[in-house]
Amino acid sequence: MNNYIHIAAILDRPDLLENMVEQLAYRHYDLGYGQQRVPLDSEALETSSSTIYLSGTVAFDEKGEHLEIPFITNFLFTCVKGADDVYKLSWSTSLS
C-alpha cells in the first residue's frame, strides 16, 4: 500500500530571508583562514554563519485532506569560502 503525503512550507517574507543570506555571504571582512597553508589535496575554508527567525505556514495534503499549521522557528545558515574567494551557501537547518 502506497501512501503519499504532500508537504509544503510557505514563508511569510522570502525577500527578507534572501536579503539576510546575501548579507551573510557577502560580509565585508575576512579573517584570512581561507588563505592558510594546508596539506596537499586539502583546502582551507573561511566560514560565516548566522541564525535567522523565519515564519510561515506548513501545509499538508493527504487523500483530499488539507491542513495548514503556522510556524515561527530559528534557522542556522552557513556559508563557506575556499580558495575561489566566493562565499557559497553550504548548509541550513532548523534549530527547533
Side-chain angles (χ1 to χ4, degrees):
M1 173 163 127
N2 290 332
N3 290 327
Y4 292 99
I5 234 177
H6 178 78
I7 302 172
I10 301 108
L11 299 178
D12 290 338
R13 296 281 315 270
D15 55 327
L16 180 62
L17 171 63
E18 182 179 8
N19 184 10
M20 294 178 102
V21 172
E22 282 178 357
Q23 287 179 10
L24 172 66
Y26 297 110
R27 66 182 185 174
H28 297 284
Y29 60 95
D30 187 345
L31 299 175
Y33 295 124
Q35 303 302 320
Q36 297 295 312
R37 293 179 61 190
V38 294
L40 236 50
D41 298 328
S42 298
E43 181 179 13
L45 300 174
E46 182 85 26
T47 62
S48 179
S49 296
S50 182
T51 57
I52 300 168
Y53 277 96
L54 295 175
S55 62
T57 304
V58 176
F60 299 90
D61 284 312
E62 180 183 20
K63 296 181 182 176
E65 293 184 38
H66 183 77
L67 176 64
E68 291 188 359
I69 302 170
F71 71 88
I72 183 166
T73 188
N74 202 4
F75 277 80
L76 172 69
F77 291 90
T78 300
C79 292
V80 174
K81 179 174 79 167
D84 60 0
D85 286 332
V86 176
Y87 277 100
K88 297 176 184 140
L89 181 64
S90 63
W91 181 257
S92 65
T93 187
S94 171
L95 298 177
S96 61

